[in-house]
Amino acid sequence: MNRILSLSVLVLLASTVFAQKDWQALKKEAEAADKKGNFGEAGNLYMDAYKQKEKNELAEKAADCFRRGHEYGGLAGALEVLKSSSHDKKIGFEYANALKQSGKYTDAIREFQLYINNYRGGKDYDTEEQRVNMQIQGCNLAIKAQKEGITGFPPERIAKLCSDQSESSPRTNGTTELYFASAMDGGKSKIFRSEHNSSGWTKPSTAFQFKGFEENIGNITFCTESKRMYFTQFTTDKAGKVTSQIYGSEEKNGEWGTPVKLPDFINAKDATATQPFVMVADGKEQLFFVSDRKGGQGGLDIWIASRNIQSDGFAFTLPINAGPGVNTASDEVTPTRIGNELYFSSNGLASVGGFDIFKATKKEEEWGFAENMGMPLNSSADDIYYTKNTDNTYFFVSNRLVKGQKAWYKDDDIFTNGSAAAAAPAPVNAQIVGNVVDIAKSSGNLTNVTVALIDVTSGGKEIANLLSKDGKFTFSVKPQMEYRVDTHKDGYSVGKFEVKTNAFTAPIEFPAQVEMARITDYKGKEGKIGEHEPIDELTPAVEEALATKNDEKSKAIAAANGYDSDPPSPKRETEPTPTKRESEIKPILDETLNFSDLTAEQKDDIITLNGIEVLQVENGYKPIVRSKKVISTPVVTSTVQGKKEPRKMPKKNDDDDAANDDNGGNLTAMSDTKEGTPEKVEPTKTAEATKNATTKDATTKDATTKDAIAGSLTQKIQIAAETPGKYAKTKYDFLAKMGANLETEPGPNGIERIIAVPTDGNAKALLKKIQGMPAYKGAFIAKYKNGVRI
């Protein structure tokens, strides 16, 4: 952690073999090199001494030096000696990680697996298993990238800005001015400035000379809109612990004022505050910074404070944690926000090295889960301090090796894609060129067809749309992407055609012919979209319902789709035309919703399809059941031969949400189909009042329920299903920060439900927060009466 916080002076390593000296002399030289901060040289000397005198103490000292010098190959060699004799089982993890950071991914996977197998029975086994799985996942990312071929220009080391010391925190001020921190002049860390001209980057010069801040400063950041500048000053105590605090300066009349230490709620006592980044969004100045203060996810976390851009001084709000989508139990560092994207580095997520660069996207008021930026931006070493200019030139810091320039991991250098970006060829014109035809006709295009281009690679976003009068279309596309062409025309099924583009370097056309089929109704007549569901989309749901056991639910779904339950005989009834495009028409599902459980807004959205009331959900339509909630077997109405008749529903089993539970394995992804959010529970009525209650229309209004007679109704959130004893409950610690308590309860097939209980009783608000996390998108509200799930 100290490396990330400080800019230690690291001297060139010496790899001299002192064969003529005995082990005691080598040990003394190693101690002297260690005191001078020459960690790599000291580690090599300790290992040379170990080869003569096999004392674990020498290998341990070597490993300690290699750790501080970030020499992964040397560290792996020292730990290989120690792991078989040490009583500390976790040396196996460190050894595997050193192999990973040396780029030996296959060997690292083997050692990670060996380590966790040997660690069984440890009190924190579940936590270690998660940590190992994350590291193996990172190794596999690197192996996959290497097998498939790493695309894009590799970043280049800016030799003119690099020294034999560590450089850090590059920040641009415009497109030609770069500031960064270094101890390149032989002293302690200072802020340097360089300018880019026709000859490249100029020789760095000292940028600022504030009294009392001549040395031990770094991590500078500017905000031209608010005319503010922030940086950190480092301190080291007698024990060698490095901390830092953030200072700010205001620009007035073209001059920067005397730096002011930010309030103590940012520079918290007994904690570090470092690596500030500032920008303006929504009329406010936002300050991102890194701290190991209490209340975070663990280790170093990213925090955010803000202030009104019109206010004077540095009156910031209390900092808030960037959340579990960004922060982990390990370290997250060097934040930079660009638009709605937050770039940072982490060693707690799946990485191809130690610290990798990640990107998280802002979704409403929260940051989504981060994604790895991949290779070649990331490497087996540490990659930190990513920042990007308006012309898409990026800068970052890495201690990676560079053939012919840098043979040691010992110091951090500044890298960029600048020259590579300038040398990149102009974009090549490529197009999808195609036409739309009737599959039943031998020639001729369909006319007046709506054609849409879908970007599948980026998640299915529609990026172009046109009305083709002659059935022809042309779309411009990019290399190494996956697209889909969707076509729509009244009276025809949706046409689809997928196109994958290669890494083209010259103009190219991708041919596409989209076939569409005319829709006919069940009597063989031609029809239009909206008169009935397309047969090819409707039939699978019906057949699936009839294939199940011949219960009342199956019959209801079959009838709702125009079939008798046995044998299947299609029929169509005239219903109001749904105002939906064909691409939005989906099958009627075999899951029902109780009318009394719907919100007022959902009740307004009820429509009628194929003779049954339904509510549209993400993957189709759910039939609406209008029932009385009584203690005896529920009764619902269904459409049979055009009439509404009462019939009994099958007895509800132990768990109506079984689709969301798991019958084996560890964490199970929840169903994407969310239950409707219940309305507020009305005050209970007396038995006499319930008995005398009447309704004007039992088929369209809620019946008074006997379930609400006495007793209490509560709402909780089911977020996952786990195999008991195979997961760590600490993974759900984030619930406490959302205002919820964690509970578990047994579910079907031996699984254990993970339940979140809102401390303020507002289940709807808690559900929205939890569903904002991609891993728990399928969370839903469950009801309980007198503590029993209903």
mmCIF file of all heavy atoms in Angstrom, residues 593-624:
data_model
loop_
_atom_site.group_PDB
_atom_site.id
_atom_site.type_symbol
_atom_site.label_atom_id
_atom_site.label_comp_id
_atom_site.label_asym_id
_atom_site.label_seq_id
_atom_site.Cartn_x
_atom_site.Cartn_y
_atom_site.Cartn_z
ATOM 1 N N LEU A 593 -50.287 -13.504 -12.287
ATOM 2 C CA LEU A 593 -50.197 -12.441 -11.295
ATOM 3 C C LEU A 593 -51.572 -12.248 -10.671
ATOM 4 O O LEU A 593 -52.595 -12.243 -11.387
ATOM 5 C CB LEU A 593 -49.737 -11.126 -11.934
ATOM 6 C CG LEU A 593 -48.324 -11.064 -12.490
ATOM 7 C CD1 LEU A 593 -48.109 -9.741 -13.225
ATOM 8 C CD2 LEU A 593 -47.308 -11.197 -11.370
ATOM 9 N N ASN A 594 -51.609 -12.071 -9.361
ATOM 10 C CA ASN A 594 -52.874 -11.823 -8.676
ATOM 11 C C ASN A 594 -53.211 -10.340 -8.782
ATOM 12 O O ASN A 594 -52.378 -9.476 -8.485
ATOM 13 C CB ASN A 594 -52.790 -12.256 -7.211
ATOM 14 C CG ASN A 594 -54.176 -12.392 -6.597
ATOM 15 O OD1 ASN A 594 -54.953 -11.452 -6.597
ATOM 16 N ND2 ASN A 594 -54.464 -13.575 -6.086
ATOM 17 N N PHE A 595 -54.421 -10.035 -9.211
ATOM 18 C CA PHE A 595 -54.844 -8.650 -9.393
ATOM 19 C C PHE A 595 -54.654 -7.841 -8.112
ATOM 20 O O PHE A 595 -54.226 -6.685 -8.153
ATOM 21 C CB PHE A 595 -56.310 -8.626 -9.827
ATOM 22 C CG PHE A 595 -56.831 -7.236 -10.106
ATOM 23 C CD1 PHE A 595 -56.668 -6.650 -11.352
ATOM 24 C CD2 PHE A 595 -57.469 -6.501 -9.122
ATOM 25 C CE1 PHE A 595 -57.128 -5.374 -11.602
ATOM 26 C CE2 PHE A 595 -57.931 -5.225 -9.362
ATOM 27 C CZ PHE A 595 -57.761 -4.657 -10.615
ATOM 28 N N SER A 596 -54.923 -8.462 -6.974
ATOM 29 C CA SER A 596 -54.841 -7.739 -5.702
ATOM 30 C C SER A 596 -53.411 -7.408 -5.316
ATOM 31 O O SER A 596 -53.187 -6.585 -4.434
ATOM 32 C CB SER A 596 -55.517 -8.549 -4.590
ATOM 33 O OG SER A 596 -54.844 -9.783 -4.412
ATOM 34 N N ASP A 597 -52.421 -8.055 -5.965
ATOM 35 C CA ASP A 597 -51.015 -7.783 -5.652
ATOM 36 C C ASP A 597 -50.429 -6.666 -6.506
ATOM 37 O O ASP A 597 -49.283 -6.278 -6.312
ATOM 38 C CB ASP A 597 -50.173 -9.055 -5.855
ATOM 39 C CG ASP A 597 -50.440 -10.091 -4.774
ATOM 40 O OD1 ASP A 597 -50.939 -9.693 -3.709
ATOM 41 O OD2 ASP A 597 -50.135 -11.274 -5.018
ATOM 42 N N LEU A 598 -51.171 -6.187 -7.490
ATOM 43 C CA LEU A 598 -50.644 -5.187 -8.408
ATOM 44 C C LEU A 598 -50.740 -3.783 -7.825
ATOM 45 O O LEU A 598 -51.621 -3.477 -7.021
ATOM 46 C CB LEU A 598 -51.403 -5.226 -9.736
ATOM 47 C CG LEU A 598 -51.424 -6.561 -10.489
ATOM 48 C CD1 LEU A 598 -52.170 -6.411 -11.798
ATOM 49 C CD2 LEU A 598 -50.015 -7.066 -10.723
ATOM 50 N N THR A 599 -49.828 -2.917 -8.262
ATOM 51 C CA THR A 599 -49.909 -1.509 -7.901
ATOM 52 C C THR A 599 -50.967 -0.848 -8.765
ATOM 53 O O THR A 599 -51.420 -1.404 -9.789
ATOM 54 C CB THR A 599 -48.567 -0.820 -8.127
ATOM 55 O OG1 THR A 599 -48.250 -0.857 -9.521
ATOM 56 C CG2 THR A 599 -47.451 -1.515 -7.354
ATOM 57 N N ALA A 600 -51.352 0.352 -8.371
ATOM 58 C CA ALA A 600 -52.352 1.090 -9.146
ATOM 59 C C ALA A 600 -51.864 1.324 -10.572
ATOM 60 O O ALA A 600 -52.630 1.228 -11.541
ATOM 61 C CB ALA A 600 -52.678 2.418 -8.449
ATOM 62 N N GLU A 601 -50.580 1.626 -10.710
ATOM 63 C CA GLU A 601 -50.004 1.863 -12.039
ATOM 64 C C GLU A 601 -50.056 0.595 -12.885
ATOM 65 O O GLU A 601 -50.371 0.636 -14.084
ATOM 66 C CB GLU A 601 -48.560 2.339 -11.905
ATOM 67 C CG GLU A 601 -47.901 2.679 -13.226
ATOM 68 C CD GLU A 601 -46.476 3.158 -13.039
ATOM 69 O OE1 GLU A 601 -46.060 3.324 -11.877
ATOM 70 O OE2 GLU A 601 -45.789 3.373 -14.062
ATOM 71 N N GLN A 602 -49.760 -0.559 -12.279
ATOM 72 C CA GLN A 602 -49.805 -1.816 -13.027
ATOM 73 C C GLN A 602 -51.230 -2.160 -13.445
ATOM 74 O O GLN A 602 -51.451 -2.690 -14.539
ATOM 75 C CB GLN A 602 -49.210 -2.935 -12.173
ATOM 76 C CG GLN A 602 -47.697 -2.847 -12.026
ATOM 77 C CD GLN A 602 -47.156 -3.868 -11.050
ATOM 78 O OE1 GLN A 602 -47.761 -4.112 -10.013
ATOM 79 N NE2 GLN A 602 -46.024 -4.458 -11.384
ATOM 80 N N LYS A 603 -52.186 -1.862 -12.579
ATOM 81 C CA LYS A 603 -53.583 -2.139 -12.926
ATOM 82 C C LYS A 603 -54.011 -1.340 -14.152
ATOM 83 O O LYS A 603 -54.785 -1.816 -14.984
ATOM 84 C CB LYS A 603 -54.486 -1.827 -11.733
ATOM 85 C CG LYS A 603 -54.306 -2.805 -10.565
ATOM 86 C CD LYS A 603 -55.119 -2.385 -9.352
ATOM 87 C CE LYS A 603 -54.872 -3.340 -8.184
ATOM 88 N NZ LYS A 603 -55.557 -2.910 -6.942
ATOM 89 N N ASP A 604 -53.492 -0.115 -14.274
ATOM 90 C CA ASP A 604 -53.817 0.711 -15.439
ATOM 91 C C ASP A 604 -53.219 0.155 -16.720
ATOM 92 O O ASP A 604 -53.671 0.471 -17.823
ATOM 93 C CB ASP A 604 -53.314 2.147 -15.227
ATOM 94 C CG ASP A 604 -54.097 2.876 -14.141
ATOM 95 O OD1 ASP A 604 -55.236 2.446 -13.857
ATOM 96 O OD2 ASP A 604 -53.571 3.855 -13.579
ATOM 97 N N ASP A 605 -52.154 -0.659 -16.599
ATOM 98 C CA ASP A 605 -51.464 -1.193 -17.771
ATOM 99 C C ASP A 605 -52.007 -2.535 -18.236
ATOM 100 O O ASP A 605 -51.490 -3.137 -19.175
ATOM 101 C CB ASP A 605 -49.961 -1.346 -17.464
ATOM 102 C CG ASP A 605 -49.264 0.002 -17.327
ATOM 103 O OD1 ASP A 605 -49.799 0.983 -17.865
ATOM 104 O OD2 ASP A 605 -48.196 0.059 -16.682
ATOM 105 N N ILE A 606 -53.058 -3.063 -17.565
ATOM 106 C CA ILE A 606 -53.634 -4.354 -17.952
ATOM 107 C C ILE A 606 -54.285 -4.235 -19.326
ATOM 108 O O ILE A 606 -55.012 -3.271 -19.618
ATOM 109 C CB ILE A 606 -54.665 -4.833 -16.913
ATOM 110 C CG1 ILE A 606 -53.955 -5.154 -15.577
ATOM 111 C CG2 ILE A 606 -55.433 -6.053 -17.418
ATOM 112 C CD1 ILE A 606 -54.907 -5.530 -14.470
ATOM 113 N N ILE A 607 -54.017 -5.194 -20.223
ATOM 114 C CA ILE A 607 -54.664 -5.258 -21.532
ATOM 115 C C ILE A 607 -55.260 -6.648 -21.709
ATOM 116 O O ILE A 607 -55.031 -7.539 -20.894
ATOM 117 C CB ILE A 607 -53.676 -4.959 -22.675
ATOM 118 C CG1 ILE A 607 -52.547 -5.997 -22.692
ATOM 119 C CG2 ILE A 607 -53.111 -3.554 -22.563
ATOM 120 C CD1 ILE A 607 -51.611 -5.838 -23.882
ATOM 121 N N THR A 608 -56.026 -6.843 -22.771
ATOM 122 C CA THR A 608 -56.639 -8.141 -23.055
ATOM 123 C C THR A 608 -56.056 -8.709 -24.336
ATOM 124 O O THR A 608 -56.052 -8.043 -25.372
ATOM 125 C CB THR A 608 -58.159 -8.011 -23.196
ATOM 126 O OG1 THR A 608 -58.689 -7.441 -22.003
ATOM 127 C CG2 THR A 608 -58.795 -9.379 -23.432
ATOM 128 N N LEU A 609 -55.518 -9.930 -24.256
ATOM 129 C CA LEU A 609 -54.986 -10.626 -25.419
ATOM 130 C C LEU A 609 -55.576 -12.022 -25.448
ATOM 131 O O LEU A 609 -55.551 -12.740 -24.443
ATOM 132 C CB LEU A 609 -53.460 -10.718 -25.366
ATOM 133 C CG LEU A 609 -52.661 -9.422 -25.566
ATOM 134 C CD1 LEU A 609 -51.178 -9.716 -25.424
ATOM 135 C CD2 LEU A 609 -52.941 -8.799 -26.914
ATOM 136 N N ASN A 610 -56.093 -12.404 -26.621
ATOM 137 C CA ASN A 610 -56.603 -13.768 -26.795
ATOM 138 C C ASN A 610 -57.595 -14.177 -25.702
ATOM 139 O O ASN A 610 -57.587 -15.296 -25.201
ATOM 140 C CB ASN A 610 -55.448 -14.772 -26.832
ATOM 141 C CG ASN A 610 -54.523 -14.497 -28.000
ATOM 142 O OD1 ASN A 610 -54.979 -14.163 -29.086
ATOM 143 N ND2 ASN A 610 -53.239 -14.616 -27.760
ATOM 144 N N GLY A 611 -58.405 -13.238 -25.307
ATOM 145 C CA GLY A 611 -59.466 -13.563 -24.366
ATOM 146 C C GLY A 611 -59.035 -13.642 -22.925
ATOM 147 O O GLY A 611 -59.765 -14.209 -22.103
ATOM 148 N N ILE A 612 -57.874 -13.068 -22.577
ATOM 149 C CA ILE A 612 -57.428 -13.131 -21.189
ATOM 150 C C ILE A 612 -56.757 -11.819 -20.819
ATOM 151 O O ILE A 612 -56.078 -11.189 -21.645
ATOM 152 C CB ILE A 612 -56.461 -14.317 -20.962
ATOM 153 C CG1 ILE A 612 -56.174 -14.500 -19.473
ATOM 154 C CG2 ILE A 612 -55.175 -14.142 -21.721
ATOM 155 C CD1 ILE A 612 -55.441 -15.781 -19.146
ATOM 156 N N GLU A 613 -56.976 -11.358 -19.588
ATOM 157 C CA GLU A 613 -56.324 -10.154 -19.110
ATOM 158 C C GLU A 613 -54.859 -10.468 -18.792
ATOM 159 O O GLU A 613 -54.570 -11.461 -18.123
ATOM 160 C CB GLU A 613 -57.025 -9.627 -17.856
ATOM 161 C CG GLU A 613 -58.398 -9.071 -18.131
ATOM 162 C CD GLU A 613 -59.016 -8.520 -16.866
ATOM 163 O OE1 GLU A 613 -59.025 -9.245 -15.854
ATOM 164 O OE2 GLU A 613 -59.475 -7.373 -16.894
ATOM 165 N N VAL A 614 -53.947 -9.611 -19.269
ATOM 166 C CA VAL A 614 -52.517 -9.847 -19.068
ATOM 167 C C VAL A 614 -51.822 -8.538 -18.725
ATOM 168 O O VAL A 614 -52.345 -7.458 -18.975
ATOM 169 C CB VAL A 614 -51.857 -10.458 -20.323
ATOM 170 C CG1 VAL A 614 -52.429 -11.819 -20.641
ATOM 171 C CG2 VAL A 614 -51.987 -9.524 -21.523
ATOM 172 N N LEU A 615 -50.617 -8.674 -18.158
ATOM 173 C CA LEU A 615 -49.729 -7.535 -17.899
ATOM 174 C C LEU A 615 -48.388 -7.845 -18.545
ATOM 175 O O LEU A 615 -47.838 -8.930 -18.349
ATOM 176 C CB LEU A 615 -49.538 -7.309 -16.397
ATOM 177 C CG LEU A 615 -48.643 -6.117 -16.004
ATOM 178 C CD1 LEU A 615 -49.338 -4.808 -16.349
ATOM 179 C CD2 LEU A 615 -48.326 -6.148 -14.512
ATOM 180 N N GLN A 616 -47.868 -6.900 -19.339
ATOM 181 C CA GLN A 616 -46.607 -7.155 -20.024
ATOM 182 C C GLN A 616 -45.435 -7.070 -19.045
ATOM 183 O O GLN A 616 -45.342 -6.165 -18.231
ATOM 184 C CB GLN A 616 -46.372 -6.139 -21.146
ATOM 185 C CG GLN A 616 -45.114 -6.452 -21.962
ATOM 186 C CD GLN A 616 -44.972 -5.567 -23.183
ATOM 187 O OE1 GLN A 616 -45.801 -4.709 -23.413
ATOM 188 N NE2 GLN A 616 -43.932 -5.785 -23.951
ATOM 189 N N VAL A 617 -44.542 -8.071 -19.108
ATOM 190 C CA VAL A 617 -43.291 -8.079 -18.367
ATOM 191 C C VAL A 617 -42.170 -8.201 -19.375
ATOM 192 O O VAL A 617 -42.401 -8.203 -20.585
ATOM 193 C CB VAL A 617 -43.250 -9.242 -17.332
ATOM 194 C CG1 VAL A 617 -44.271 -9.023 -16.242
ATOM 195 C CG2 VAL A 617 -43.476 -10.583 -18.013
ATOM 196 N N GLU A 618 -40.930 -8.335 -18.876
ATOM 197 C CA GLU A 618 -39.764 -8.265 -19.768
ATOM 198 C C GLU A 618 -39.775 -9.346 -20.830
ATOM 199 O O GLU A 618 -39.408 -9.112 -21.966
ATOM 200 C CB GLU A 618 -38.473 -8.356 -18.936
ATOM 201 C CG GLU A 618 -37.216 -8.184 -19.769
ATOM 202 C CD GLU A 618 -35.970 -8.176 -18.907
ATOM 203 O OE1 GLU A 618 -36.103 -8.196 -17.668
ATOM 204 O OE2 GLU A 618 -34.881 -8.147 -19.485
ATOM 205 N N ASN A 619 -40.183 -10.563 -20.500
ATOM 206 C CA ASN A 619 -40.071 -11.665 -21.447
ATOM 207 C C ASN A 619 -41.419 -12.192 -21.929
ATOM 208 O O ASN A 619 -41.509 -13.311 -22.414
ATOM 209 C CB ASN A 619 -39.265 -12.804 -20.822
ATOM 210 C CG ASN A 619 -39.877 -13.274 -19.516
ATOM 211 O OD1 ASN A 619 -40.622 -12.542 -18.879
ATOM 212 N ND2 ASN A 619 -39.563 -14.494 -19.122
ATOM 213 N N GLY A 620 -42.486 -11.414 -21.824
ATOM 214 C CA GLY A 620 -43.773 -11.838 -22.342
ATOM 215 C C GLY A 620 -44.919 -11.166 -21.615
ATOM 216 O O GLY A 620 -44.828 -10.020 -21.166
ATOM 217 N N TYR A 621 -46.056 -11.875 -21.528
ATOM 218 C CA TYR A 621 -47.232 -11.366 -20.835
ATOM 219 C C TYR A 621 -47.631 -12.351 -19.735
ATOM 220 O O TYR A 621 -47.706 -13.563 -19.969
ATOM 221 C CB TYR A 621 -48.409 -11.199 -21.801
ATOM 222 C CG TYR A 621 -48.184 -10.172 -22.874
ATOM 223 C CD1 TYR A 621 -47.649 -10.527 -24.108
ATOM 224 C CD2 TYR A 621 -48.485 -8.833 -22.647
ATOM 225 C CE1 TYR A 621 -47.427 -9.584 -25.088
ATOM 226 C CE2 TYR A 621 -48.270 -7.874 -23.623
ATOM 227 C CZ TYR A 621 -47.743 -8.256 -24.852
ATOM 228 O OH TYR A 621 -47.518 -7.317 -25.818
ATOM 229 N N LYS A 622 -47.902 -11.858 -18.542
ATOM 230 C CA LYS A 622 -48.355 -12.711 -17.452
ATOM 231 C C LYS A 622 -49.874 -12.566 -17.298
ATOM 232 O O LYS A 622 -50.381 -11.431 -17.184
ATOM 233 C CB LYS A 622 -47.666 -12.326 -16.137
ATOM 234 C CG LYS A 622 -46.229 -12.775 -16.037
ATOM 235 C CD LYS A 622 -45.707 -12.563 -14.622
ATOM 236 C CE LYS A 622 -44.280 -13.078 -14.483
ATOM 237 N NZ LYS A 622 -43.771 -12.937 -13.106
ATOM 238 N N PRO A 623 -50.612 -13.679 -17.291
ATOM 239 C CA PRO A 623 -52.063 -13.615 -17.092
ATOM 240 C C PRO A 623 -52.402 -13.047 -15.718
ATOM 241 O O PRO A 623 -51.702 -13.291 -14.740
ATOM 242 C CB PRO A 623 -52.503 -15.079 -17.214
ATOM 243 C CG PRO A 623 -51.406 -15.755 -17.977
ATOM 244 C CD PRO A 623 -50.152 -15.050 -17.573
ATOM 245 N N ILE A 624 -53.507 -12.299 -15.652
ATOM 246 C CA ILE A 624 -53.981 -11.714 -14.406
ATOM 247 C C ILE A 624 -55.053 -12.617 -13.813
ATOM 248 O O ILE A 624 -55.996 -13.028 -14.499
ATOM 249 C CB ILE A 624 -54.549 -10.304 -14.631
ATOM 250 C CG1 ILE A 624 -53.485 -9.420 -15.282
ATOM 251 C CG2 ILE A 624 -55.034 -9.703 -13.315
ATOM 252 C CD1 ILE A 624 -52.230 -9.283 -14.462
#
